[in-house]
Amino acid sequence: MTQKLIGLAPSRRAVLKGAGAGLLAAGFAAPVWSQAAPVKLGFQLHRTGIGAAYGRWYERTAQAALKEVNDAGGINGRPVEIVFEDDGTDPKRGSEVVEKLVSQHNCDMIFGPLFSHVVIGSASRAGELKVPYLVCSEGFHVASGMLNRWTMQPGITDVRAQVSSMAPWVLENLGKKVTMVFPDYAFGHDHRDYFTAAVEAGGGQVIAQIAVPPTETSFTRYLPQIPNDTEVLYHVMVGPAVLTFVKELGEFYGTGAKPQIFGFIDSLEAVDTASPGLEFLEGTHFWEGHCRVKQPDASEHEVAYRAAVGVDDNGASVSDAKDVSTYAHMFSVWETLHIIKAGMEASGYQSPADRQKFVEAVEAMSDMPESLAHVQGNKVFNGKTHQVFGHQFISRVEGGKLMKVHTTSIEDGMYPDAVDYTTQSF
C-alpha cells in the first residue's frame, strides 16, 4: 500500500512557543515555493507484521516532522513529499519496497525502517541502486561494517552503545549475576553479545542466555529456564505479544522473591506500564531511548516535539489515552528527516545525480546539539562508521510511571571503529 503526503505546519517559532494542539492547528501563511519539483522521500514503513505498533507511530512522527520542515521552507526552497510503502516487517518484502520506492516512485532517498532483519535484508538493494538509505533502527549492523556506504544510522544510537553505557550502572546498583531473555534474531543477538561482553568487563557474569523467537505468543516454557541464583533478569522482547510476555513474567514470579529486573522498554513499547497485571513491575528499571513520561527537566524542544507528534505527558495519544506511543524509538524518525534536510542543504542537493554528494555531506557531520531538530538530546555522529552516539536513559517504574533515574554520557557508549565507510567506493 502506498500513501503520499505533503505537509505544512506552523512556524518553528510558533511550535517552540506552543504548548498544545490548539497552537499547532492555528493557521499561518504558507511558504512561497520555487518552481522546482518537490523533494520526494521514500519511507519504508512497518505498517503490518510484528513491527506494526512501531510503524503506526513512525508514520505519525514522519508526518509531524514533514509539516515542521515544510513550514520552515522545505529543503533548498522545495516542498517535501513522503511516499509511504508497507514492508510487512519482512526482509524480502523490504528489499522489494526499496526497489519500488526508487524505480516506480522516483524517490530521492529512503528512510524509516526499524527492525534489524528488515534493514539487513534491504540495505544491499539500496546499495545496488545507489540510493541513500537512512535507517531508524538500533542494530550494530551499520557500525559493524556489514552493510554499505549508502546505508547510515544518524538518528538513533545502536544496541552496542546502549548496553555498553548502561552495564556499569546495572552491575553497581542491581547485581552481578545476570540472566538474559532476548529475541532470537539480529537485534536480540546484539544484546546477547554486547551486554554479555560489557558485564564481563565490569566483573559480572551472564549465567544464562534465553533466546525466544520474535513471533512467539506464549512464554511460559521459557521462564522456568531462569536460574534460581539470578540476581538480575535482563529482558528485551519485541512484537505483538510483548504485553503477554511481561504479564507471564509477573505470573511466573507471583508475590514471592524475584531477582532485580532490568528491561529494555521494547518489552513494553505501546503498552501502558499501569496496565492491570503489571503491578509487579513497580520498582523495576527500564532503558529508554527517549523518556515516554514527560520529565521535570524536559527541554523546550522536547515539549514542542511532544505537542507536534500528538503525545500527552504520559506518552499516549492526545486523542486516545489508551493509544500508547513507541516514544523511546520514534524520535529517530523526526531527527532523521531533519538530518536529511541538513545533508541536502549542505550538499546543494537538486536531483538524484547529487546522491553521492548528500552521503558525503552527512559523513562530514559531527556534533549535533540538542535543538528542535535533535529533540532527544545532544549527539555526535561518526562519519566513518555512519553511526550516531547519544545519551541513554534508565527509568524506574514509580506509581505505574517511568521516571528517569540515570542519564549516561555520550562517551559512555563509544567504542572503537569497526569500519571506515568513507574509504569505500560508491
Side-chain angles (χ1 to χ4, degrees), residues 339-373:
I339 290 164
I340 289 173
K341 172 181 169 67
M344 282 187 159
E345 291 177 347
S347 64
Y349 187 95
Q350 295 297 321
S351 73
D354 298 322
R355 285 170 174 163
Q356 179 177 326
K357 292 180 181 178
F358 168 82
V359 172
E360 292 171 333
V362 176
E363 288 176 338
M365 294 180 181
S366 179
D367 292 342
M368 298 176 174
E370 182 177 4
S371 65
L372 189 58

PDB file of all heavy atoms in Angstrom, residues 339-373:
ATOM      1  N   ILE A 339      17.992  15.514   9.585  1.00  0.00           N
ATOM      2  CA  ILE A 339      19.341  15.262   9.076  1.00  0.00           C
ATOM      3  C   ILE A 339      19.329  15.204   7.553  1.00  0.00           C
ATOM      4  O   ILE A 339      20.248  15.695   6.890  1.00  0.00           O
ATOM      5  CB  ILE A 339      19.902  13.964   9.690  1.00  0.00           C
ATOM      6  CG1 ILE A 339      20.193  14.192  11.170  1.00  0.00           C
ATOM      7  CG2 ILE A 339      21.169  13.510   8.956  1.00  0.00           C
ATOM      8  CD1 ILE A 339      20.385  12.931  11.968  1.00  0.00           C
ATOM      9  N   ILE A 340      18.296  14.618   6.983  1.00  0.00           N
ATOM     10  CA  ILE A 340      18.149  14.628   5.522  1.00  0.00           C
ATOM     11  C   ILE A 340      18.109  16.067   5.021  1.00  0.00           C
ATOM     12  O   ILE A 340      18.780  16.422   4.037  1.00  0.00           O
ATOM     13  CB  ILE A 340      16.886  13.856   5.099  1.00  0.00           C
ATOM     14  CG1 ILE A 340      17.086  12.344   5.335  1.00  0.00           C
ATOM     15  CG2 ILE A 340      16.546  14.124   3.632  1.00  0.00           C
ATOM     16  CD1 ILE A 340      15.832  11.521   5.109  1.00  0.00           C
ATOM     17  N   LYS A 341      17.332  16.900   5.681  1.00  0.00           N
ATOM     18  CA  LYS A 341      17.247  18.321   5.295  1.00  0.00           C
ATOM     19  C   LYS A 341      18.626  18.980   5.374  1.00  0.00           C
ATOM     20  O   LYS A 341      19.065  19.638   4.411  1.00  0.00           O
ATOM     21  CB  LYS A 341      16.265  19.045   6.210  1.00  0.00           C
ATOM     22  CG  LYS A 341      16.233  20.564   6.048  1.00  0.00           C
ATOM     23  CD  LYS A 341      15.233  21.189   7.022  1.00  0.00           C
ATOM     24  CE  LYS A 341      15.383  22.709   7.074  1.00  0.00           C
ATOM     25  NZ  LYS A 341      14.997  23.363   5.813  1.00  0.00           N
ATOM     26  N   ALA A 342      19.324  18.762   6.486  1.00  0.00           N
ATOM     27  CA  ALA A 342      20.643  19.381   6.663  1.00  0.00           C
ATOM     28  C   ALA A 342      21.634  18.866   5.631  1.00  0.00           C
ATOM     29  O   ALA A 342      22.432  19.637   5.079  1.00  0.00           O
ATOM     30  CB  ALA A 342      21.158  19.106   8.073  1.00  0.00           C
ATOM     31  N   GLY A 343      21.599  17.560   5.344  1.00  0.00           N
ATOM     32  CA  GLY A 343      22.517  16.982   4.366  1.00  0.00           C
ATOM     33  C   GLY A 343      22.241  17.456   2.953  1.00  0.00           C
ATOM     34  O   GLY A 343      23.172  17.730   2.180  1.00  0.00           O
ATOM     35  N   MET A 344      20.967  17.564   2.601  1.00  0.00           N
ATOM     36  CA  MET A 344      20.612  18.049   1.267  1.00  0.00           C
ATOM     37  C   MET A 344      21.022  19.503   1.091  1.00  0.00           C
ATOM     38  O   MET A 344      21.505  19.903   0.021  1.00  0.00           O
ATOM     39  CB  MET A 344      19.112  17.874   1.026  1.00  0.00           C
ATOM     40  CG  MET A 344      18.691  16.459   0.694  1.00  0.00           C
ATOM     41  SD  MET A 344      16.938  16.398   0.213  1.00  0.00           S
ATOM     42  CE  MET A 344      16.903  14.856  -0.700  1.00  0.00           C
ATOM     43  N   GLU A 345      20.841  20.291   2.137  1.00  0.00           N
ATOM     44  CA  GLU A 345      21.195  21.700   2.020  1.00  0.00           C
ATOM     45  C   GLU A 345      22.705  21.897   2.006  1.00  0.00           C
ATOM     46  O   GLU A 345      23.228  22.729   1.252  1.00  0.00           O
ATOM     47  CB  GLU A 345      20.539  22.473   3.158  1.00  0.00           C
ATOM     48  CG  GLU A 345      19.021  22.535   2.997  1.00  0.00           C
ATOM     49  CD  GLU A 345      18.280  23.216   4.123  1.00  0.00           C
ATOM     50  OE1 GLU A 345      18.895  23.446   5.180  1.00  0.00           O
ATOM     51  OE2 GLU A 345      17.079  23.510   3.949  1.00  0.00           O
ATOM     52  N   ALA A 346      23.419  21.119   2.789  1.00  0.00           N
ATOM     53  CA  ALA A 346      24.882  21.237   2.795  1.00  0.00           C
ATOM     54  C   ALA A 346      25.490  20.809   1.469  1.00  0.00           C
ATOM     55  O   ALA A 346      26.518  21.347   1.040  1.00  0.00           O
ATOM     56  CB  ALA A 346      25.458  20.392   3.930  1.00  0.00           C
ATOM     57  N   SER A 347      24.850  19.842   0.806  1.00  0.00           N
ATOM     58  CA  SER A 347      25.378  19.333  -0.461  1.00  0.00           C
ATOM     59  C   SER A 347      24.813  20.061  -1.670  1.00  0.00           C
ATOM     60  O   SER A 347      25.215  19.784  -2.808  1.00  0.00           O
ATOM     61  CB  SER A 347      25.061  17.838  -0.589  1.00  0.00           C
ATOM     62  OG  SER A 347      23.658  17.610  -0.640  1.00  0.00           O
ATOM     63  N   GLY A 348      23.865  20.967  -1.455  1.00  0.00           N
ATOM     64  CA  GLY A 348      23.214  21.631  -2.577  1.00  0.00           C
ATOM     65  C   GLY A 348      22.404  20.681  -3.419  1.00  0.00           C
ATOM     66  O   GLY A 348      22.274  20.853  -4.635  1.00  0.00           O
ATOM     67  N   TYR A 349      21.805  19.686  -2.774  1.00  0.00           N
ATOM     68  CA  TYR A 349      21.094  18.624  -3.493  1.00  0.00           C
ATOM     69  C   TYR A 349      19.980  19.182  -4.383  1.00  0.00           C
ATOM     70  O   TYR A 349      19.150  19.965  -3.934  1.00  0.00           O
ATOM     71  CB  TYR A 349      20.495  17.644  -2.483  1.00  0.00           C
ATOM     72  CG  TYR A 349      19.883  16.420  -3.116  1.00  0.00           C
ATOM     73  CD1 TYR A 349      20.607  15.240  -3.238  1.00  0.00           C
ATOM     74  CD2 TYR A 349      18.575  16.438  -3.606  1.00  0.00           C
ATOM     75  CE1 TYR A 349      20.045  14.114  -3.834  1.00  0.00           C
ATOM     76  CE2 TYR A 349      18.016  15.328  -4.201  1.00  0.00           C
ATOM     77  CZ  TYR A 349      18.752  14.164  -4.312  1.00  0.00           C
ATOM     78  OH  TYR A 349      18.208  13.040  -4.910  1.00  0.00           O
ATOM     79  N   GLN A 350      19.984  18.734  -5.653  1.00  0.00           N
ATOM     80  CA  GLN A 350      18.954  19.140  -6.606  1.00  0.00           C
ATOM     81  C   GLN A 350      18.256  17.965  -7.269  1.00  0.00           C
ATOM     82  O   GLN A 350      17.088  18.063  -7.627  1.00  0.00           O
ATOM     83  CB  GLN A 350      19.572  20.036  -7.694  1.00  0.00           C
ATOM     84  CG  GLN A 350      20.098  21.365  -7.174  1.00  0.00           C
ATOM     85  CD  GLN A 350      19.004  22.238  -6.580  1.00  0.00           C
ATOM     86  OE1 GLN A 350      17.883  22.290  -7.102  1.00  0.00           O
ATOM     87  NE2 GLN A 350      19.318  22.927  -5.478  1.00  0.00           N
ATOM     88  N   SER A 351      18.973  16.858  -7.436  1.00  0.00           N
ATOM     89  CA  SER A 351      18.406  15.710  -8.152  1.00  0.00           C
ATOM     90  C   SER A 351      19.150  14.444  -7.728  1.00  0.00           C
ATOM     91  O   SER A 351      20.178  14.519  -7.034  1.00  0.00           O
ATOM     92  CB  SER A 351      18.560  15.918  -9.661  1.00  0.00           C
ATOM     93  OG  SER A 351      19.921  15.741 -10.049  1.00  0.00           O
ATOM     94  N   PRO A 352      18.648  13.266  -8.145  1.00  0.00           N
ATOM     95  CA  PRO A 352      19.346  12.019  -7.815  1.00  0.00           C
ATOM     96  C   PRO A 352      20.813  11.990  -8.239  1.00  0.00           C
ATOM     97  O   PRO A 352      21.588  11.202  -7.693  1.00  0.00           O
ATOM     98  CB  PRO A 352      18.518  10.964  -8.558  1.00  0.00           C
ATOM     99  CG  PRO A 352      17.131  11.529  -8.549  1.00  0.00           C
ATOM    100  CD  PRO A 352      17.325  12.999  -8.774  1.00  0.00           C
ATOM    101  N   ALA A 353      21.197  12.847  -9.167  1.00  0.00           N
ATOM    102  CA  ALA A 353      22.610  12.915  -9.559  1.00  0.00           C
ATOM    103  C   ALA A 353      23.484  13.390  -8.402  1.00  0.00           C
ATOM    104  O   ALA A 353      24.711  13.193  -8.420  1.00  0.00           O
ATOM    105  CB  ALA A 353      22.772  13.853 -10.752  1.00  0.00           C
ATOM    106  N   ASP A 354      22.855  13.981  -7.364  1.00  0.00           N
ATOM    107  CA  ASP A 354      23.593  14.512  -6.219  1.00  0.00           C
ATOM    108  C   ASP A 354      23.559  13.580  -5.014  1.00  0.00           C
ATOM    109  O   ASP A 354      23.931  13.976  -3.904  1.00  0.00           O
ATOM    110  CB  ASP A 354      23.013  15.871  -5.809  1.00  0.00           C
ATOM    111  CG  ASP A 354      23.146  16.912  -6.907  1.00  0.00           C
ATOM    112  OD1 ASP A 354      24.188  16.908  -7.598  1.00  0.00           O
ATOM    113  OD2 ASP A 354      22.216  17.723  -7.069  1.00  0.00           O
ATOM    114  N   ARG A 355      23.103  12.347  -5.201  1.00  0.00           N
ATOM    115  CA  ARG A 355      23.004  11.433  -4.059  1.00  0.00           C
ATOM    116  C   ARG A 355      24.359  11.192  -3.397  1.00  0.00           C
ATOM    117  O   ARG A 355      24.462  11.129  -2.168  1.00  0.00           O
ATOM    118  CB  ARG A 355      22.398  10.101  -4.512  1.00  0.00           C
ATOM    119  CG  ARG A 355      20.898  10.162  -4.770  1.00  0.00           C
ATOM    120  CD  ARG A 355      20.405   8.901  -5.427  1.00  0.00           C
ATOM    121  NE  ARG A 355      18.939   8.885  -5.549  1.00  0.00           N
ATOM    122  CZ  ARG A 355      18.275   8.083  -6.363  1.00  0.00           C
ATOM    123  NH1 ARG A 355      18.941   7.222  -7.143  1.00  0.00           N
ATOM    124  NH2 ARG A 355      16.958   8.124  -6.415  1.00  0.00           N
ATOM    125  N   GLN A 356      25.398  11.040  -4.179  1.00  0.00           N
ATOM    126  CA  GLN A 356      26.723  10.821  -3.598  1.00  0.00           C
ATOM    127  C   GLN A 356      27.153  12.039  -2.781  1.00  0.00           C
ATOM    128  O   GLN A 356      27.709  11.904  -1.684  1.00  0.00           O
ATOM    129  CB  GLN A 356      27.749  10.521  -4.690  1.00  0.00           C
ATOM    130  CG  GLN A 356      29.163  10.310  -4.157  1.00  0.00           C
ATOM    131  CD  GLN A 356      30.159   9.941  -5.249  1.00  0.00           C
ATOM    132  OE1 GLN A 356      29.810   9.260  -6.205  1.00  0.00           O
ATOM    133  NE2 GLN A 356      31.392  10.393  -5.100  1.00  0.00           N
ATOM    134  N   LYS A 357      26.897  13.222  -3.293  1.00  0.00           N
ATOM    135  CA  LYS A 357      27.239  14.443  -2.561  1.00  0.00           C
ATOM    136  C   LYS A 357      26.493  14.492  -1.225  1.00  0.00           C
ATOM    137  O   LYS A 357      27.033  14.956  -0.211  1.00  0.00           O
ATOM    138  CB  LYS A 357      26.894  15.676  -3.393  1.00  0.00           C
ATOM    139  CG  LYS A 357      27.740  15.867  -4.644  1.00  0.00           C
ATOM    140  CD  LYS A 357      27.308  17.128  -5.384  1.00  0.00           C
ATOM    141  CE  LYS A 357      28.120  17.345  -6.653  1.00  0.00           C
ATOM    142  NZ  LYS A 357      27.664  18.551  -7.390  1.00  0.00           N
ATOM    143  N   PHE A 358      25.261  14.028  -1.226  1.00  0.00           N
ATOM    144  CA  PHE A 358      24.485  14.007   0.015  1.00  0.00           C
ATOM    145  C   PHE A 358      25.150  13.100   1.044  1.00  0.00           C
ATOM    146  O   PHE A 358      25.316  13.482   2.209  1.00  0.00           O
ATOM    147  CB  PHE A 358      23.055  13.533  -0.260  1.00  0.00           C
ATOM    148  CG  PHE A 358      22.283  13.212   0.999  1.00  0.00           C
ATOM    149  CD1 PHE A 358      21.676  14.220   1.725  1.00  0.00           C
ATOM    150  CD2 PHE A 358      22.199  11.904   1.458  1.00  0.00           C
ATOM    151  CE1 PHE A 358      20.983  13.936   2.898  1.00  0.00           C
ATOM    152  CE2 PHE A 358      21.505  11.608   2.631  1.00  0.00           C
ATOM    153  CZ  PHE A 358      20.900  12.628   3.347  1.00  0.00           C
ATOM    154  N   VAL A 359      25.515  11.883   0.639  1.00  0.00           N
ATOM    155  CA  VAL A 359      26.160  10.952   1.562  1.00  0.00           C
ATOM    156  C   VAL A 359      27.435  11.568   2.123  1.00  0.00           C
ATOM    157  O   VAL A 359      27.706  11.509   3.333  1.00  0.00           O
ATOM    158  CB  VAL A 359      26.453   9.610   0.877  1.00  0.00           C
ATOM    159  CG1 VAL A 359      27.307   8.708   1.778  1.00  0.00           C
ATOM    160  CG2 VAL A 359      25.152   8.896   0.510  1.00  0.00           C
ATOM    161  N   GLU A 360      28.221  12.174   1.274  1.00  0.00           N
ATOM    162  CA  GLU A 360      29.478  12.788   1.718  1.00  0.00           C
ATOM    163  C   GLU A 360      29.212  13.941   2.683  1.00  0.00           C
ATOM    164  O   GLU A 360      29.980  14.152   3.638  1.00  0.00           O
ATOM    165  CB  GLU A 360      30.274  13.267   0.506  1.00  0.00           C
ATOM    166  CG  GLU A 360      30.794  12.110  -0.354  1.00  0.00           C
ATOM    167  CD  GLU A 360      31.394  12.569  -1.671  1.00  0.00           C
ATOM    168  OE1 GLU A 360      30.995  13.646  -2.173  1.00  0.00           O
ATOM    169  OE2 GLU A 360      32.252  11.838  -2.205  1.00  0.00           O
ATOM    170  N   ALA A 361      28.129  14.673   2.465  1.00  0.00           N
ATOM    171  CA  ALA A 361      27.783  15.777   3.363  1.00  0.00           C
ATOM    172  C   ALA A 361      27.398  15.255   4.745  1.00  0.00           C
ATOM    173  O   ALA A 361      27.767  15.842   5.773  1.00  0.00           O
ATOM    174  CB  ALA A 361      26.652  16.612   2.769  1.00  0.00           C
ATOM    175  N   VAL A 362      26.645  14.163   4.784  1.00  0.00           N
ATOM    176  CA  VAL A 362      26.276  13.583   6.079  1.00  0.00           C
ATOM    177  C   VAL A 362      27.513  13.005   6.763  1.00  0.00           C
ATOM    178  O   VAL A 362      27.691  13.141   7.979  1.00  0.00           O
ATOM    179  CB  VAL A 362      25.182  12.521   5.913  1.00  0.00           C
ATOM    180  CG1 VAL A 362      24.877  11.839   7.249  1.00  0.00           C
ATOM    181  CG2 VAL A 362      23.897  13.147   5.354  1.00  0.00           C
ATOM    182  N   GLU A 363      28.392  12.368   6.001  1.00  0.00           N
ATOM    183  CA  GLU A 363      29.625  11.821   6.574  1.00  0.00           C
ATOM    184  C   GLU A 363      30.469  12.912   7.228  1.00  0.00           C
ATOM    185  O   GLU A 363      31.232  12.636   8.162  1.00  0.00           O
ATOM    186  CB  GLU A 363      30.447  11.118   5.499  1.00  0.00           C
ATOM    187  CG  GLU A 363      29.845   9.802   5.035  1.00  0.00           C
ATOM    188  CD  GLU A 363      30.611   9.158   3.886  1.00  0.00           C
ATOM    189  OE1 GLU A 363      31.336   9.900   3.181  1.00  0.00           O
ATOM    190  OE2 GLU A 363      30.476   7.935   3.689  1.00  0.00           O
ATOM    191  N   ALA A 364      30.344  14.139   6.752  1.00  0.00           N
ATOM    192  CA  ALA A 364      31.123  15.252   7.304  1.00  0.00           C
ATOM    193  C   ALA A 364      30.510  15.815   8.587  1.00  0.00           C
ATOM    194  O   ALA A 364      31.132  16.648   9.251  1.00  0.00           O
ATOM    195  CB  ALA A 364      31.246  16.364   6.259  1.00  0.00           C
ATOM    196  N   MET A 365      29.314  15.367   8.959  1.00  0.00           N
ATOM    197  CA  MET A 365      28.669  15.863  10.175  1.00  0.00           C
ATOM    198  C   MET A 365      29.367  15.290  11.410  1.00  0.00           C
ATOM    199  O   MET A 365      29.940  14.211  11.369  1.00  0.00           O
ATOM    200  CB  MET A 365      27.188  15.476  10.187  1.00  0.00           C
ATOM    201  CG  MET A 365      26.369  16.143   9.109  1.00  0.00           C
ATOM    202  SD  MET A 365      24.617  15.644   9.196  1.00  0.00           S
ATOM    203  CE  MET A 365      23.937  16.537   7.805  1.00  0.00           C
ATOM    204  N   SER A 366      29.267  16.018  12.508  1.00  0.00           N
ATOM    205  CA  SER A 366      29.859  15.552  13.763  1.00  0.00           C
ATOM    206  C   SER A 366      28.937  15.906  14.927  1.00  0.00           C
ATOM    207  O   SER A 366      28.037  15.155  15.256  1.00  0.00           O
ATOM    208  CB  SER A 366      31.248  16.153  13.960  1.00  0.00           C
ATOM    209  OG  SER A 366      31.808  15.713  15.180  1.00  0.00           O
ATOM    210  N   ASP A 367      29.151  17.057  15.556  1.00  0.00           N
ATOM    211  CA  ASP A 367      28.329  17.456  16.698  1.00  0.00           C
ATOM    212  C   ASP A 367      26.916  17.816  16.252  1.00  0.00           C
ATOM    213  O   ASP A 367      26.720  18.558  15.290  1.00  0.00           O
ATOM    214  CB  ASP A 367      28.948  18.655  17.408  1.00  0.00           C
ATOM    215  CG  ASP A 367      30.254  18.304  18.107  1.00  0.00           C
ATOM    216  OD1 ASP A 367      30.503  17.105  18.331  1.00  0.00           O
ATOM    217  OD2 ASP A 367      31.031  19.225  18.415  1.00  0.00           O
ATOM    218  N   MET A 368      25.935  17.292  16.983  1.00  0.00           N
ATOM    219  CA  MET A 368      24.528  17.591  16.739  1.00  0.00           C
ATOM    220  C   MET A 368      23.930  18.081  18.053  1.00  0.00           C
ATOM    221  O   MET A 368      23.461  17.291  18.872  1.00  0.00           O
ATOM    222  CB  MET A 368      23.794  16.347  16.244  1.00  0.00           C
ATOM    223  CG  MET A 368      24.305  15.811  14.924  1.00  0.00           C
ATOM    224  SD  MET A 368      23.461  14.262  14.443  1.00  0.00           S
ATOM    225  CE  MET A 368      24.154  14.005  12.792  1.00  0.00           C
ATOM    226  N   PRO A 369      23.962  19.386  18.313  1.00  0.00           N
ATOM    227  CA  PRO A 369      23.457  19.925  19.583  1.00  0.00           C
ATOM    228  C   PRO A 369      21.953  19.708  19.725  1.00  0.00           C
ATOM    229  O   PRO A 369      21.212  19.671  18.738  1.00  0.00           O
ATOM    230  CB  PRO A 369      23.794  21.421  19.496  1.00  0.00           C
ATOM    231  CG  PRO A 369      24.836  21.530  18.427  1.00  0.00           C
ATOM    232  CD  PRO A 369      24.537  20.425  17.453  1.00  0.00           C
ATOM    233  N   GLU A 370      21.506  19.571  20.961  1.00  0.00           N
ATOM    234  CA  GLU A 370      20.078  19.468  21.223  1.00  0.00           C
ATOM    235  C   GLU A 370      19.375  20.700  20.660  1.00  0.00           C
ATOM    236  O   GLU A 370      19.824  21.827  20.827  1.00  0.00           O
ATOM    237  CB  GLU A 370      19.818  19.368  22.722  1.00  0.00           C
ATOM    238  CG  GLU A 370      18.349  19.208  23.077  1.00  0.00           C
ATOM    239  CD  GLU A 370      18.101  19.035  24.553  1.00  0.00           C
ATOM    240  OE1 GLU A 370      19.081  19.112  25.331  1.00  0.00           O
ATOM    241  OE2 GLU A 370      16.940  18.828  24.932  1.00  0.00           O
ATOM    242  N   SER A 371      18.267  20.458  19.960  1.00  0.00           N
ATOM    243  CA  SER A 371      17.528  21.532  19.303  1.00  0.00           C
ATOM    244  C   SER A 371      16.182  20.960  18.888  1.00  0.00           C
ATOM    245  O   SER A 371      15.867  19.798  19.183  1.00  0.00           O
ATOM    246  CB  SER A 371      18.289  22.019  18.060  1.00  0.00           C
ATOM    247  OG  SER A 371      18.364  20.968  17.090  1.00  0.00           O
ATOM    248  N   LEU A 372      15.387  21.733  18.181  1.00  0.00           N
ATOM    249  CA  LEU A 372      14.130  21.194  17.669  1.00  0.00           C
ATOM    250  C   LEU A 372      14.388  20.100  16.645  1.00  0.00           C
ATOM    251  O   LEU A 372      13.561  19.220  16.449  1.00  0.00           O
ATOM    252  CB  LEU A 372      13.278  22.311  17.054  1.00  0.00           C
ATOM    253  CG  LEU A 372      11.843  21.909  16.670  1.00  0.00           C
ATOM    254  CD1 LEU A 372      11.074  21.379  17.868  1.00  0.00           C
ATOM    255  CD2 LEU A 372      11.107  23.069  16.033  1.00  0.00           C
ATOM    256  N   ALA A 373      15.552  20.121  16.000  1.00  0.00           N
ATOM    257  CA  ALA A 373      15.915  19.063  15.056  1.00  0.00           C
ATOM    258  C   ALA A 373      16.426  17.825  15.765  1.00  0.00           C
ATOM    259  O   ALA A 373      16.343  16.713  15.226  1.00  0.00           O
ATOM    260  CB  ALA A 373      16.976  19.572  14.077  1.00  0.00           C
TER     261      ALA A 373
END
